[in-house]
Amino acid sequence: MSSAAAAPPDPDDPGVRAWSLLLRAHAALVPVVGREVERGAHLPLSWYDVLLELNAAPERRLRIQELGSRVVLSRSRISRLVDEMAVEGLVRREPDPQDRRASFAVLTDEGRAGLRRAAPIYLDAVRRHFTEHVRPDELAALRDALTRVLAPHEGR
Amino acid sequence: MSSAAAAPPDPDDPGVRAWSLLLRAHAALVPVVGREVERGAHLPLSWYDVLLELNAAPERRLRIQELGSRVVLSRSRISRLVDEMAVEGLVRREPDPQDRRASFAVLTDEGRAGLRRAAPIYLDAVRRHFTEHVRPDELAALRDALTRVLAPHEGR
DNA sequence: TTATGTTGCGTGCGTACGCACCTAGTTGTG
DNA sequence: CACAACTAGGTGCGTACGCACGCAACATAA
């Protein structure tokens, strides 16, 4: 049980500072990377994430809900995203014969092609804006720490 | 060289994995912390950030533009945020006599009181969801690394 | 079978946000 | 002085997103 937090508000706590930096880094970097991907590969960053997850999935397909949780989007949002991407031919909706409520989002060949075009641009942007400034040991610490932070929230 | 894996991105690159984790951690944690603050202190997370920055500023006031860049929001957004908070009495707009285009956002006493009420809730949420899962040395690495990552974007 | 819940998705709607543009005040140049 | 160039801030508008709700398809009880 968390004991009484009778301690005074301490915004200079090292943990809070790290948290704050995480927020700022996210706010500063994501728009920049998104811009570069959109400019260079002509697709939104969220589309890229979807393509990436589908490509990594068995059979290159996922149920809508599962896809949403992997890219950390609401079901409503991912549902519309898949619609929009289907219009562009990057994914395809496919009904599940076993459960007729469900449907899969399936990566099309065109989707894979888009992913291949976008990947170098995305990776380059991430490298220049992020990885390049972080030492290998810091990267390892970051991965370990964030993995543990994330663990309690895996379910959605 | 197995069959598949033509050219898909390299998600096993340690840098990209760390970046991806950062995105996921942000996406997972921010809504949760925001909820807790809103529930416990009856104010949005973005309001809390504004109160915090103003409280830390000299004279407890900042020009709109400067405030926006500190909380990483666009000028349009911060302008409306200040309006909304002024309606609730947490901040006050004050013209700059030196430059009549500019205006300050000034923290009111009520604003400070709100901050004092919200701070323990916010800090507790950050601790339970973030700090608690990270070792001190990892926190330090995180702060150092993110500070360097952020540096090129300070001017926003 | 019918009745009762549960799950997987889709849709209407409100909110948060940034961009493009506009206005007023300030600074510089002749 | 006029008159352009620049700057702080506000506003109209489009977009991305989640929530609340609705609906059909499953699952289980009786």
Side-chain angles (χ1 to χ4, degrees):
Chain A
M1 300 305 158
S2 44
S3 53
D10 182 10
D12 292 331
D13 173 85
V16 174
R17 276 225 300 261
W19 167 254
S20 170
L21 281 168
L22 193 150
L23 296 188
R24 284 167 203 280
H26 181 276
L29 267 53
V30 168
V32 172
V33 172
R35 289 270 192 165
E36 294 192 11
V37 170
E38 193 143 4
R39 231 193 264 277
H42 303 292
L43 55 82
L45 193 51
S46 52
W47 289 30
Y48 179 83
D49 289 337
V50 168
L51 295 177
L52 201 63
E53 286 302 333
L54 286 179
N55 190 58
E59 312 275 322
R60 305 192 195 289
R61 63 180 199 176
L62 286 171
R63 298 243 290 281
I64 296 293
Q65 174 175 256
E66 177 62 21
L67 178 57
S69 101
R70 295 204 191 185
V71 298
V72 200
L73 286 178
S74 66
R75 285 183 297 104
S76 56
R77 187 58 201 143
I78 195 61
S79 175
R80 281 165 189 156
L81 221 51
V82 169
D83 275 350
E84 296 160 23
M85 295 177 69
V87 169
E88 300 294 321
L90 300 177
V91 304
R92 182 171 21 101
R93 280 184 181 279
E94 208 168 77
D96 181 351
Q98 255 67 46
D99 184 342
R100 281 181 319 192
R101 297 169 295 183
S103 61
F104 290 103
V106 191
L107 187 62
T108 64
D109 290 342
E110 198 176 340
R112 290 200 77 191
L115 180 58
R116 256 194 232 96
R117 263 187 291 106
I121 293 165
Y122 176 79
L123 294 174
D124 185 59
V126 170
R127 181 160 36 74
R128 280 186 294 102
H129 293 293
F130 179 68
T131 319
E132 198 163 87
H133 306 278
V134 185
R135 294 197 315 265
D137 61 301
E138 292 172 331
L139 274 184
L142 227 147
R143 277 187 284 114
D144 291 351
L146 291 182
T147 299
R148 290 198 309 277
V149 164
L150 213 37
H153 299 268
E154 300 255 271
R156 189 242 193 283
Chain B
M1 312 317 166
S2 358
S3 43
D10 183 8
D12 293 331
D13 175 83
V16 175
R17 275 226 300 260
W19 166 255
S20 170
L21 280 168
L22 192 150
L23 296 188
R24 283 167 203 280
H26 180 276
L29 265 54
V30 168
V32 172
V33 171
R35 289 271 192 167
E36 293 190 13
V37 170
E38 194 144 4
R39 230 193 264 277
H42 303 292
L43 55 83
L45 194 49
S46 53
W47 290 30
Y48 179 83
D49 289 337
V50 168
L51 294 178
L52 201 62
E53 286 302 335
L54 286 180
N55 189 57
E59 311 277 322
R60 304 192 195 290
R61 64 181 195 174
L62 285 171
R63 298 244 290 282
I64 297 294
Q65 175 175 255
E66 177 62 21
L67 179 57
S69 100
R70 295 205 191 185
V71 298
V72 200
L73 285 177
S74 66
R75 285 184 296 106
S76 56
R77 186 59 201 142
I78 195 62
S79 175
R80 281 163 186 153
L81 221 51
V82 169
D83 275 349
E84 297 160 22
M85 294 176 70
V87 169
E88 300 295 320
L90 299 178
V91 303
R92 180 170 24 98
R93 281 183 181 277
E94 207 168 78
D96 181 350
Q98 255 67 45
D99 185 342
R100 281 182 317 193
R101 296 168 298 183
S103 61
F104 289 104
V106 191
L107 188 62
T108 64
D109 289 343
E110 197 175 340
R112 291 201 75 190
L115 180 59
R116 254 195 233 93
R117 262 187 291 106
I121 293 165
Y122 175 80
L123 294 174
D124 186 59
V126 170
R127 182 163 37 73
R128 281 185 295 102
H129 293 292
F130 179 69
T131 318
E132 197 163 89
H133 306 279
V134 184
R135 294 197 315 266
D137 60 302
E138 292 172 331
L139 275 184
L142 227 147
R143 277 186 285 112
D144 292 349
L146 291 182
T147 300
R148 291 197 309 277
V149 163
L150 213 38
H153 300 269
E154 299 254 271
R156 202 278 131 143

